[in-house]
Amino acid sequence: MISNGALASSPAGSAASRRQRSVVFLLCFLLAWCANAPVRQRAVVPTPSDAALLDDVEKRSFHFFWDLADPNTQLIPDRWPTPSFSSIAAVGFGLTAYGIGAERGYVTREAAAQRTLATLRSLLAMKQGPGAQGVSGFHGFYYHFLDMKTGGLFLADDGGHIELSTIDTTLLVAGALFAQSYFDRDNPAEEEIRSAAETLYERVEWTWEEVRPHAVSMGWTPESGFHTYDWRGYNEAMILVILALGSPTHPVEPSAWTTYHSTDVWGSPAWGSSIAQPFIQFAPLFGHQYTEVWIDFRGISEPVIAAKGIDWFENSRRASVAQHSYALANPDGWRDYGDRIWGLSACDGPMDATVTIDGKARTFHSYTARGVAENDIRDDGTIAPTAAASSIVFTPELSIPAIREMSARYGSNLYAQYGFLDAFNPTLRTSEKLKHGRVDPTQGWFDIDYLGIDEGPIVAMVENYRSELVWKTMRKNAHVIRGLQRAGFTGGWLGK
């Protein structure tokens, strides 16, 4: 990382010393520019076998949503096959997947429209209110988890209430707005989809959750009220601020954008790479992917990221490259890490325990956010396939080989009915103390579940890589355009 400290000066007065200072200044300028300038993405031309592989991955992940939605509520399970509540964010990914499935011919457009409409009708019919029983949300927001069969608030194991989630509602709304712009034909079903999506978005009271100046709270519960922490610092909630800014009914002020980014951290990976570059940090890769499932940041910029000389797409590309570089360096010596086995994100894990392996104490975790960034390494040898797969738009030259290697090397232990199971850990090869999943004694630990919030980015990002469908569709949405413009974005497709 280049330091921006002041240059030492030579004795003043001589032409030689002035030339020396000029050369030193120019050299430092060039080094700093090289550290921050985008690296051109290597051209990747998918082979016929790549195309077939990506279609198989995408189709299998699509069917997670199509096959598993509850036939009455249309809610999507948080996970499967383990019995589960619904994740409201997974419903948003499902609403996005339905249009993709229609475009790919996995289902007919008519069937996708009917499923989308049934989902939106169900969501709008769910009761909202301040009570702790028989409701699904409040002030337009939805609870993080809902009962699959009734649509009511799902109670936690300790009897407490799951939070009214601002970010998970945002991901739901993003899926609804994709449906609004995708289903654009002049027929009753698609007209009602557009109207229902508008209603769903309009009734979200973003300003109600703005309990501290210029910042949106992470959530609310009936027992405790608003969370004491807000969305601040670059993470998956960038799309939350954009949609809150774009709201036609309850918009936050543009200052919310700068407040959100006020604690961003700019840095470089510490494990070293000849192509590593500084980026605004967030350790798990999902934080670099969720917003860009729906929003195409290529060629558009705003002051926060423009000050770094890049755009947000480039920032995510750098984060993906850094994770790949980390797997190559593999400082803790986890099994199988390397050029084609990489990717850390929020995912399931085997246990919450320490086990001695090959004479070394290894601490493992169950579900947690894994990732790597400067001074923030969260790694227990557990890889989430969605991490590398959903970065395909940023690093196809790294992601496609990873998709191929992971599916081929581990076979049905990792790649089965709905594509990639949520996570695996090649280092752990003992079944003692397991909390989740199962162990293959020759290949390691494997999850038994698929997770909706990890399947969704795979479907959408593979499609964005293949056709840019979600990006192109969302570029037409007036709400998204308004939110980006109020955040200060200009240039590129926004100027067309």
Side-chain angles (χ1 to χ4, degrees):
M1 185 168 63
I2 302 297
S3 170
N4 291 321
L7 294 175
S9 60
S10 301
S14 70
S17 65
R18 288 195 298 272
R19 285 195 300 272
Q20 183 183 27
R21 288 198 299 272
S22 297
V23 169
V24 171
F25 178 82
L26 179 60
L27 178 60
C28 290
F29 173 80
L30 289 173
L31 287 172
W33 183 86
C34 288
N36 291 295
V39 170
R40 287 192 178 274
Q41 179 177 294
R42 189 168 62 205
V44 177
V45 180
T47 66
S49 62
D50 287 337
L53 172 65
L54 294 179
D55 192 66
D56 190 65
V57 170
E58 186 175 354
K59 187 174 184 178
R60 286 174 186 253
S61 293
F62 161 80
H63 274 283
F64 172 90
F65 300 95
W66 190 257
D67 296 352
L68 300 179
D70 183 86
N72 295 314
T73 63
Q74 307 302 325
L75 294 176
I76 303 295
D78 177 64
R79 61 178 61 234
W80 186 89
T82 298
S84 173
F85 39 75
S86 172
S87 158
I88 201 65
V91 179
F93 284 117
L95 287 169
T96 306
Y98 300 150
I100 293 170
E103 197 73 11
R104 280 284 155 197
Y106 303 150
V107 294
T108 66
R109 184 180 179 98
E110 292 73 22
Q114 288 301 322
R115 174 67 66 85
T116 299
L117 181 54
T119 304
L120 293 171
R121 284 173 172 170
S122 177
L123 289 164
L124 291 175
M126 292 175 185
K127 185 178 178 181
Q128 295 241 334
Q133 299 292 329
V135 296
S136 304
F138 191 34
H139 288 275
F141 293 95
Y142 287 82
Y143 285 98
H144 191 169
F145 299 128
L146 300 178
D147 185 280
M148 281 285 295
K149 299 297 182 184
T150 68
L153 170 60
F154 180 83
L155 294 180
D157 292 340
D158 61 3
H161 292 99
I162 302 298
E163 82 279 7
L164 194 76
S165 175
T166 52
I167 183 57
D168 293 278
T169 298
T170 296
L171 301 178
L172 170 67
V173 170
L177 293 180
F178 169 78
Q180 182 183 61
S181 291
Y182 179 78
F183 291 104
D184 58 357
R185 295 184 181 175
D186 186 17
N187 62 59
E190 297 197 16
E191 288 174 359
E192 188 178 346
I193 286 171
R194 297 194 292 274
S195 175
E198 188 75 9
T199 299
L200 189 78
Y201 183 37
E202 285 182 347
R203 71 182 192 178
V204 179
E205 297 180 31
W206 307 96
T207 49
W208 176 70
E209 282 276 6
E210 202 176 16
V211 291
R212 285 162 289 276
H214 318 299
V216 177
S217 170
M218 287 189 174
W220 176 91
T221 62
E223 308 98 327
S224 304
F226 293 103
H227 286 188
T228 58
Y229 33 89
D230 304 315
W231 289 107
R232 293 175 186 266
Y234 172 66
N235 51 30
E236 74 274 22
M238 193 149 68
I239 191 168
L240 180 155
V241 184
I242 291 168
L243 294 188
L245 286 166
S247 171
T249 51
H250 305 282
V252 298
E253 292 300 317
S255 54
W257 182 258
T258 51
T259 298
Y260 169 70
H261 284 293
S262 62
T263 57
D264 288 353
V265 176
W266 175 259
S268 294
W271 47 93
S273 167
S274 61
I275 58 173
Q277 295 176 295
F279 59 96
I280 292 180
Q281 304 281 296
F282 187 71
L285 271 181
F286 79 90
H288 299 276
Q289 296 164 345
Y290 275 15
T291 297
E292 292 187 66
V293 162
W294 291 281
I295 298 179
D296 180 8
F297 284 127
R298 295 172 303 171
I300 66 172
S301 191
E302 47 71 46
V304 172
I305 199 66
K308 305 301 183 184
I310 59 176
D311 58 30
W312 286 107
F313 180 91
E314 170 64 13
N315 198 75
S316 295
R317 188 200 66 80
R318 292 184 182 192
S320 301
V321 169
Q323 282 229 9
H324 179 263
S325 298
Y326 173 82
L328 288 175
N330 193 13
D332 289 327
W334 299 106
R335 286 177 182 159
D336 290 4
Y337 277 31
D339 181 46
R340 299 187 175 198
I341 304 295
W342 61 278
L344 305 178
S345 195
C347 65
D348 277 347
M351 61 177 69
D352 293 300
T354 299
V355 178
T356 299
I357 299 175
D358 299 330
K360 183 175 182 178
R362 298 285 200 177
T363 299
F364 300 96
H365 303 283
S366 54
Y367 189 92
T368 192
R370 297 165 173 86
V372 290
E374 186 179 32
N375 302 318
D376 186 11
I377 297 178
R378 316 174 205 172
D379 183 17
D380 66 350
T382 302
I383 292 172
T386 188
S390 299
S391 280
I392 188 171
V393 295
F394 311 122
T395 53
E397 74 281 8
L398 305 177
S399 295
I400 294 174
I403 291 169
R404 182 172 296 284
E405 180 71 13
M406 287 189 291
S407 59
R409 181 188 295 198
Y410 304 108
S412 59
N413 275 335
L414 183 63
Y415 189 73
Q417 183 175 358
Y418 294 121
F420 285 110
L421 287 147
D422 192 57
F424 67 106
N425 191 314
T427 300
L428 183 64
R429 300 188 181 184
T430 174
S431 297
E432 296 180 10
K433 303 180 181 180
L434 278 188
K435 185 174 182 179
H436 299 293
R438 60 185 180 81
V439 167
D440 179 311
T442 63
Q443 291 194 320
W445 175 84
F446 294 89
D447 202 357
I448 62 169
D449 281 335
Y450 305 90
L451 267 63
I453 60 172
D454 291 338
E455 292 288 314
I458 293 176
V459 177
M461 289 303 220
V462 170
E463 186 57 41
N464 277 332
Y465 171 71
R466 297 174 77 188
S467 74
E468 302 182 4
L469 174 67
V470 184
W471 287 343
K472 288 178 178 178
T473 300
M474 295 299 274
R475 286 182 209 157
K476 300 184 295 183
N477 191 281
H479 302 308
V480 171
I481 292 171
R482 182 169 57 250
L484 288 168
Q485 290 174 336
R486 295 191 76 226
F489 282 89
T490 58
W493 60 267
L494 267 178
K496 295 180 181 179

